[in-house]
Amino acid sequence: MIRQYDKIKDMDLSFETKLVDHKINEMDTGRDLTQCICHVDMDAFYASVEELDDPSLKEIPMAVGGMHMLCTSNYKARQFGVRSAMPGYLALKLCPQLKIIPLHFPKYRAASAKVRAIFAKYDPSFLPMSLDEAYLNLTNYLSTSELTPEQLVQQIRDEIQQETQLTASAGIAANRMLAKICSDFNKPNGQYFLPMEREAIMKFTSNLSIRKVSGVGRVTERVLQTLDVKTCGDILHRRAILYRLLSPISFQFMLKCYLGLGSTNFNLESDRKSISVERTFSALSKPDDLYRKVDELAELLAVDLGRNQIQGGKTVGIKLKLTSFDVRVRSKTYPSYISKKEDIARIVKELVQKELPVSIRLMGIRLSSLPPKVDDDHGVKKYFKKRKNTDAGEEQPRKISTVPSSPVSVLTSTSVTPDTHLTASIAANENAPSIVAVTCPICSRSLALDNHQFNQHLDECLNKVTVKAILQQQQQNQSPPQDQTQGRSLLDYYR
DNA sequence: TACATACAC
DNA sequence: TATGGTGTATGTA
């Protein structure tokens, strides 16, 4: 893609520009500003629930999860750079006094149920995204009330706090994409209202980091960065280039970001496409051990199938994560549905066998091509349900292809090993975040930064280390030549 | 259909 | 000692 970019970046793209402008105009005109969508996000949910049971945890840096992975952390811990999806042992290097609490899902589910009961009062068709997050369409409720959207959402948040002692943050806007971003603006325990007006929305997106948009992750952010797109507003300037470089789907998504367009539909009940189970463990390579794992996982999957009343799947797949962290996916499709534990295990073993010899740290098995869901609706009801699904199909976020169009040359050997003896020396002054001398536990550099800057640095550093590790692995894996093709995008965008 | 990636939570 | 699990979507061949 970079090569393609070099080729076209100085070309006359006035035709493309005109074309895209027309498209933008069309989308802009079709804008729906009639809906009031709210995204509610519980603050540090698991950690906050734990603090209810043990208020002393509020006073200390604390995270929920395990040594391998943290799910969330309280705000005291975040000041040390401890964040979700960070391995616990690394968090402990950042913050040696960190208390790690194991997960207690029943408690979180109970708290979530209370919150959801409140949501249901304001929008019976609210859309839960996880235990701690949901979208509400408040349009109907507002039409029967004197409250402004802000007052209503304040009321909902007050109610949540009263019922659960937990705080929530919320965003209010014309669609899901915007509401989601807004809920992050005044976190924790705050809300942000973006008026459902074109001018307000365009002003909002013009300066908005593209990374804030749900669906734009680390990789896409980097790709866009190389195209000089950092904010949603930047998309306009680069519209012709983006049009040439991106797939139609990705390009359409970019225009939506620029215009601040998003779905107002809560498309529930879309049929499940796959069901899977995977486990990480200490390295295994002996075939017998691998087959034993297969049996374990097949058992789990079969149980899950039953629990979810799924007849079976025509496609059986495996996922192996090698001890090198390379991931292999293999699958095979059959003419009839596979559902019995024994059948799953037998087929999976065949797939695994073809990969031998291999040393893995994770095995996953999956059934897809599931049968169409049989619902017990009668008559016309069925028809309506089906229609609803097709309606919302176009509304989902898309991402950008990151596969470059040409092969990539071999890397120069920039061997960078992450420091394994990490030490954090952060002066813990929680109440008044000020500039302190810190040693970054990742890159070992001395830094004079405040908390916010330090966290930014950490983000950067963690990314670099991850990427370098990946690059290193790719170098090591050069001997089996078929791996050359994998991960080229990373080489391109992180080098 | 098969596979690799990216992403959300 | 030590970097998760489940599911969706997209691009490409």
Side-chain angles (χ1 to χ4, degrees):
Chain A
M1 189 159 104
I2 300 292
R3 192 149 307 173
Q4 184 72 12
Y5 174 50
D6 284 338
K7 215 188 298 180
I8 67 169
K9 70 178 171 193
D10 296 321
M11 281 171 53
D12 173 24
L13 298 176
S14 52
F15 175 75
E16 283 84 349
T17 304
K18 207 169 263 180
L19 207 102
V20 171
D21 283 344
H22 184 263
K23 177 82 183 156
I24 289 177
N25 214 324
E26 209 176 81
M27 291 170 72
D28 202 348
T29 312
R31 196 188 282 273
D32 179 4
L33 297 174
T34 64
Q35 303 297 302
C36 179
I37 307 297
C38 175
H39 180 255
V40 183
D41 195 344
M42 302 297 295
D43 301 320
F45 185 56
Y46 298 170
S48 301
V49 172
E50 296 296 341
E51 288 176 355
L52 289 184
D53 278 9
D54 180 358
S56 74
L57 296 175
K58 284 189 215 172
E59 313 304 322
I60 57 171
M62 177 268 289
V64 179
M67 265 326 199
H68 292 275
M69 187 57 63
L70 300 180
C71 286
T72 186
S73 55
N74 68 6
Y75 283 84
K76 280 250 153 61
R78 290 184 195 189
Q79 298 188 333
F80 292 84
V82 175
R83 59 202 52 210
S84 57
M86 179 181 269
Y89 76 94
L90 181 54
L92 279 175
K93 312 234 162 155
L94 288 167
C95 176
Q97 70 272 43
L98 180 73
K99 175 138 184 186
I100 298 181
I101 308 276
L103 287 157
H104 299 111
F105 268 108
K107 284 201 300 201
Y108 315 143
R109 272 194 291 269
S112 182
K114 287 190 195 172
V115 177
R116 288 180 183 187
I118 296 169
F119 291 156
K121 293 202 309 192
Y122 296 94
D123 175 10
S125 335
F126 76 96
L127 176 65
M129 300 302 290
S130 61
L131 287 182
D132 75 322
E133 221 179 279
Y135 291 96
L136 284 71
N137 187 332
L138 299 177
T139 317
N140 276 341
Y141 193 94
L142 284 166
S143 71
T144 68
S145 134
E146 296 295 301
L147 296 174
T148 66
E150 289 176 281
Q151 289 167 337
L152 176 58
V153 171
Q154 183 66 54
Q155 179 182 315
I156 295 173
R157 292 177 43 241
D158 288 346
E159 214 169 310
I160 291 172
Q161 186 154 19
Q162 264 172 6
E163 283 296 310
T164 65
Q165 317 282 91
L166 300 166
T167 64
S169 297
I172 312 138
N175 59 56
R176 278 169 54 182
M177 175 212 140
L178 294 172
K180 166 102 209 222
I181 295 165
C182 289
S183 70
D184 206 43
F185 255 56
N186 281 321
K187 192 167 248 309
N189 198 12
Q191 62 184 58
Y192 185 90
F193 174 61
L194 174 59
M196 281 76 77
E197 297 157 8
R198 184 184 181 281
E199 292 311 306
I201 294 170
M202 290 311 290
K203 188 178 171 201
F204 182 82
T205 53
S206 70
N207 241 341
L208 181 71
S209 164
I210 188 86
R211 182 60 207 273
K212 296 273 183 189
V213 179
S214 179
V216 177
R218 203 173 38 85
V219 175
T220 307
E221 181 189 27
R222 295 273 181 157
V223 174
L224 291 172
Q225 220 166 58
T226 69
L227 302 176
D228 281 327
V229 174
K230 296 186 187 66
T231 69
C232 294
D234 292 339
I235 292 166
L236 182 66
H237 314 129
R238 314 294 285 156
R239 59 196 184 285
I241 296 278
L242 292 171
Y243 173 76
R244 286 289 295 255
L245 291 181
L246 304 184
S247 72
I249 288 174
S250 299
F251 181 68
Q252 166 108 347
F253 177 59
M254 284 296 106
L255 292 189
K256 283 183 168 184
C257 292
Y258 165 63
L259 290 164
L261 301 180
S263 152
T264 55
N265 249 336
F266 297 172
N267 172 30
L268 306 181
E269 219 58 58
S270 79
D271 287 358
R272 185 209 277 265
K273 306 263 191 318
S274 72
I275 183 165
S276 66
V277 54
E278 66 185 55
R279 289 291 180 271
T280 297
F281 36 75
S282 47
L284 293 181
S285 52
K286 288 200 287 256
D288 282 354
D289 290 338
L290 298 182
Y291 296 147
R292 199 158 26 244
K293 274 291 172 214
V294 170
D295 286 327
E296 284 173 34
L297 293 176
E299 166 81 44
L300 289 172
L301 188 59
V303 169
D304 238 31
L305 273 182
R307 214 198 330 254
N308 290 281
Q309 308 203 17
I310 295 171
Q311 312 307 317
K314 289 184 182 174
T315 304
V316 179
I318 62 167
K319 169 172 157 184
L320 302 177
K321 190 186 280 178
L322 278 51
T323 42
S324 63
F325 280 82
D326 284 327
V327 175
R328 283 187 204 169
V329 178
R330 299 290 181 264
S331 64
K332 189 165 158 107
T333 301
Y334 292 85
S336 59
Y337 291 104
I338 314 295
S339 60
K340 289 213 298 274
K341 174 179 77 177
E342 293 79 12
D343 294 335
I344 298 171
R346 177 174 44 78
I347 294 164
V348 166
K349 281 174 191 169
E350 285 169 15
L351 291 169
V352 170
Q353 190 187 7
K354 292 186 190 156
E355 302 304 313
L356 297 177
V358 72
S359 170
I360 60 172
R361 68 188 320 279
L362 171 145
M363 182 188 290
I365 68 182
R366 169 181 309 256
L367 280 174
S368 49
S369 310
L370 307 182
K373 201 178 156 194
V374 282
D375 63 58
D376 26 26
D377 282 348
H378 305 291
V380 289
K381 245 175 138 185
K382 216 183 227 166
Y383 171 75
F384 281 120
K385 214 166 207 174
K386 214 166 189 165
R387 230 187 63 101
K388 200 176 168 194
N389 285 345
T390 50
D391 272 354
E394 58 143 321
E395 292 284 11
Q396 299 180 2
R398 297 296 110 100
K399 55 186 192 288
I400 291 171
S401 162
T402 58
V403 181
S405 45
S406 55
V408 170
S409 59
V410 176
L411 264 189
T412 53
S413 116
T414 51
S415 149
V416 177
T417 316
D419 189 353
T420 48
H421 305 287
L422 307 177
T423 49
S425 60
I426 306 169
N429 184 353
E430 301 97 346
N431 293 331
S434 55
I435 295 184
V436 288
V438 297
T439 304
C440 172
I442 316 292
C443 68
S444 301
R445 275 183 290 194
S446 302
L447 307 159
L449 301 172
D450 68 24
N451 263 322
H452 177 69
Q453 292 167 325
F454 176 63
N455 272 288
Q456 277 195 336
H457 172 88
L458 263 180
D459 272 338
E460 279 288 304
C461 234
L462 283 169
N463 277 349
K464 282 182 203 155
V465 168
T466 312
V467 169
K468 293 239 167 95
I470 292 168
L471 295 178
Q472 268 196 308
Q473 281 158 24
Q474 289 180 345
Q475 283 191 300
Q476 282 162 13
N477 291 336
Q478 270 168 25
S479 19
Q482 87 274 14
D483 279 356
Q484 264 302 326
T485 52
Q486 297 175 8
R488 283 188 302 195
S489 58
L490 281 173
L491 289 171
D492 245 7
Y493 300 117
Y494 291 112
R495 251 311 284 142

